[in-house]
Amino acid sequence: MTDTTAARILADLPERFNAAQDLIAPNLAARADKTAIIDVRGSMTYGELAGRIDRMAGAWAGLGVTRGDRVLLCLLDTRDFPTVFLGAIKAGVIPVPLNTLMTADDFAWALDNSGAKAVFVTGELANKWRVVEGVHFISSEGGPGEDLEDLLRNATPRAEPADTSRDETAFWLYTSGSTGRPKGAMHRHGSLRLTANLYGIGTAGYREDDVILSVAKQFFAYGLGNALTFPFAAGATVVLHRDRATPQAITDLIAAHGVTILGGVPTFYAGWLASDLPALPSLRLGLSAGEALPAHLGEAFRNKFGADIIDGLGSTEMLHIFISQQPGTVRYGCTGKPVKGYSVRVVDDAGQEAASGEVGDLLVCGPTSAYEYWQNPDKSAETFQGDWTVTGDKYSRDAKGWLTYAGRGDDMLKVGGIYVSPIEVEEALSSHPDVLEAAVVGAPDGDDLIKPHAFVVLRDGVAGDEGALKAHVKTLLAPYKYPRWITFLHQLPKTATGKIQRFQLRS
């Protein structure tokens, strides 16, 4: 697919387009009395949600926030997130969701970097904020500053959306910032609908009768699609879980509400599938992203629930998943094929198309790409190269077009002059019955040559046997790929999205 094709897909949307109005107005007309959200406070219909969003859209004038201004969202997963997020977009204000697990220093940096005029915070997170003069501080569920419910109650509803265009900036998402400061990826109004059409409805198959639960929170690109964009685009119901996603909590929510689609990450699925799970007959599909899904987890999910779990690759820059498996035609052990509407290239070090089966750098072209990073021209030029977005991922593609993840560009190992994917070694280790999780990085041996070093989390009650694990890997992989060292840990360092922070293990 060329950039011209991507532009044509975008042009399928009306030129005058408001993303919030697009997601909510059809539901208000067709299913106002249907439950849109279930959260810790109970259920809320589409009609009630629409009224709440309209009040938020009308509240900005009283705060001195005008079209194009930024506002920060540090909100746990309740009805407050879609209220503020969509209420801002409806009014042409730019919401910037933040990772609620960041430090006080991170929040102060984001406030300064974004130039935001207001901050919305779930009360229990307020102690991480150093409020500065001139910034409105609005709390939900208690906390300092103005109360969100009071703000909504006193606002005059705004029924008509701002006259925005499909190409206008609608919101930002900061990258995870696992190394260095985050980058503010700027997304257009048209992109929410396009991710819904191309992946949420077109690939995963969200339906009006679905009940969705996402382990990934709404402030992540992955969780935003899973638990806001896609359910509202399909007229479905979403269950929002504000707290940590423990296996028991997620199991209880699925059973209580008849959840049909569960969105998670492989790290969550590993712990969840290792727990004592009931049948959960309502579950018809699992979604996975954030890191490569090991084949044994996909097979365990299918064996337990008789349903597919579809792996996918997305990014903050592309807003959601652009390579995916398809329900009913899943091939575990690889990521899948490009989602309709996207095109990918796998290129070698010279920038030429890599041969079949050869590991190379992954580039993607599609209509939902962010167009730049806020006030970061060098990184923007490095990532957004003409028609193509540089993902930083290493992939291989076989003769039939299946794409297999081989790690991040800086995670790949070259052992004896041959690329070794840490993912492949991790999956071999994880297939041993004693292993819960594994991560592999490169480490120098006595000759200063790089060899695989494994960090392993064992299942409860198991004593680590380094020799047995090395022997197990040798039965599955070429001999040069086995880990020369194995370190046993109680847990692996991870980002809030559940991605393993290999840079910490390397250091």
Side-chain angles (χ1 to χ4, degrees):
M1 187 186 69
T2 66
D3 190 47
T4 303
T5 307
R8 188 166 64 246
I9 293 171
L10 185 60
D12 289 340
L13 301 178
E15 198 281 327
R16 306 314 300 172
F17 184 89
N18 183 281
Q21 185 78 349
D22 171 70
L23 289 177
I24 297 302
N27 291 309
L28 185 60
R31 54 188 72 86
D33 294 331
K34 181 183 177 180
T35 298
I37 292 171
I38 300 170
D39 66 5
V40 69
R41 298 179 223 167
S43 62
M44 169 171 279
T45 67
Y46 273 107
E48 291 167 334
L49 177 61
R52 196 172 167 86
I53 290 168
D54 284 354
R55 286 188 173 277
M56 188 67 246
W60 299 112
L63 295 174
V65 177
T66 60
R67 182 168 170 171
D69 288 340
R70 277 82 61 195
V71 296
L72 299 182
L73 279 62
C74 184
L75 296 169
L76 299 176
D77 269 27
T78 70
R79 64 193 64 188
D80 296 336
F81 188 100
T83 296
V84 180
F85 184 79
L86 294 176
I89 290 174
K90 183 163 187 173
V93 173
I94 298 172
V96 185
L98 298 178
N99 182 337
T100 59
L101 299 177
M102 294 198 310
T103 65
D105 179 65
D106 293 328
F107 289 141
W109 176 87
L111 184 58
D112 179 67
N113 178 258
S114 66
K117 289 191 174 180
V119 180
F120 290 76
V121 180
T122 302
E124 68 190 67
L125 305 174
N127 63 344
K128 289 186 177 183
W129 282 88
R130 297 192 288 268
V131 184
V132 296
E133 190 174 345
V135 175
H136 293 278
F137 198 77
I138 298 99
S139 292
S140 72
E141 301 182 355
E146 187 168 1
D147 180 73
L148 176 60
E149 297 306 316
D150 288 342
L151 178 69
L152 296 174
R153 191 177 301 111
N154 296 326
T156 301
R158 173 174 177 163
E160 290 301 313
D163 183 25
T164 50
S165 78
R166 66 191 179 216
D167 295 314
E168 191 172 327
T169 304
F171 61 99
W172 301 358
L173 291 173
Y174 277 111
T175 60
S176 59
S178 55
T179 57
R181 288 294 190 185
K183 301 179 291 292
M186 304 166 71
H187 284 285
R188 301 174 174 90
H189 274 265
S191 293
L192 289 175
R193 168 54 63 177
L194 291 174
T195 57
N197 289 352
L198 298 174
Y199 178 80
I201 297 171
T203 299
Y206 274 58
R207 308 187 306 233
E208 184 179 356
D209 61 347
D210 276 321
V211 179
I212 295 96
L213 173 61
S214 178
V215 169
K217 302 303 185 184
Q218 292 173 104
F219 58 76
F220 298 125
Y222 179 49
L224 182 68
N226 291 349
L228 189 153
T229 314
F230 305 161
F232 296 166
T237 297
V238 62
V239 179
L240 298 178
H241 181 54
R242 72 188 299 285
D243 299 317
R244 192 168 69 89
T246 63
Q248 189 61 57
I250 298 304
T251 299
D252 290 346
L253 288 170
I254 294 171
H257 302 295
V259 169
T260 58
I261 298 179
L262 176 64
V265 297
T267 297
F268 165 77
Y269 284 120
W272 189 55
L273 289 167
S275 65
D276 185 19
L277 291 173
L280 303 176
S282 64
L283 203 57
R284 72 172 184 85
L285 183 68
L287 311 176
S288 184
E291 55 188 333
L293 178 73
H296 74 276
L297 290 181
E299 290 158 359
F301 187 95
R302 178 185 282 165
N303 291 338
K304 178 66 182 179
F305 303 115
D308 286 329
I309 179 172
I310 58 171
D311 195 13
L313 175 72
S315 69
T316 303
E317 289 80 1
M318 296 304 294
L319 188 54
H320 213 271
I321 289 170
F322 53 87
I323 297 174
S324 181
Q325 299 277 354
Q326 293 272 352
T329 58
V330 172
R331 178 177 154 184
Y332 290 127
C334 65
T335 307
K337 296 182 179 181
V339 170
K340 183 179 179 181
Y342 297 89
S343 181
V344 302
R345 298 178 65 207
V346 179
V347 300
D348 61 21
D349 291 342
Q352 302 302 309
E353 295 292 335
S356 177
E358 180 184 355
V359 172
D361 296 309
L362 183 74
L363 286 73
V364 57
C365 173
T368 63
S369 174
Y371 58 93
E372 65 177 321
Y373 297 125
W374 170 252
Q375 294 185 338
N376 200 332
D378 292 341
K379 286 293 184 181
S380 294
E382 185 180 308
T383 302
F384 306 110
Q385 299 184 358
D387 298 355
W388 299 89
T389 298
V390 178
T391 68
D393 293 307
K394 293 281 188 179
Y395 263 82
S396 64
R397 177 158 41 188
D398 69 15
K400 294 185 177 180
W402 291 95
L403 289 145
T404 299
Y405 183 60
R408 292 288 298 172
D410 57 359
D411 289 337
M412 291 295 293
L413 315 178
K414 229 173 188 181
V415 179
I418 305 172
Y419 270 124
V420 174
S421 165
I423 306 302
E424 187 179 20
V425 185
E426 289 164 7
E427 182 163 350
L429 284 164
S430 295
S431 68
H432 191 283
D434 290 350
V435 175
L436 181 62
E437 290 184 294
V440 173
V441 300
D445 64 10
D447 295 319
D448 219 23
L449 298 172
I450 297 299
K451 298 292 187 291
H453 183 168
F455 295 82
V456 170
V457 178
L458 297 168
R459 296 182 184 276
D460 290 341
V462 174
D465 187 334
E466 185 174 350
L469 292 181
K470 290 180 179 179
H472 176 72
V473 173
K474 289 179 181 178
T475 66
L476 298 175
L477 303 178
Y480 66 86
K481 296 183 178 182
Y482 86 94
R484 305 318 193 259
W485 314 273
I486 296 178
T487 301
F488 296 102
L489 300 176
H490 293 298
Q491 62 182 12
L492 299 175
K494 296 169 186 170
T495 67
T497 59
K499 295 180 184 178
I500 296 168
Q501 293 178 309
R502 291 183 180 81
F503 75 93
Q504 287 201 28
L505 298 175
R506 282 193 293 269
S507 64

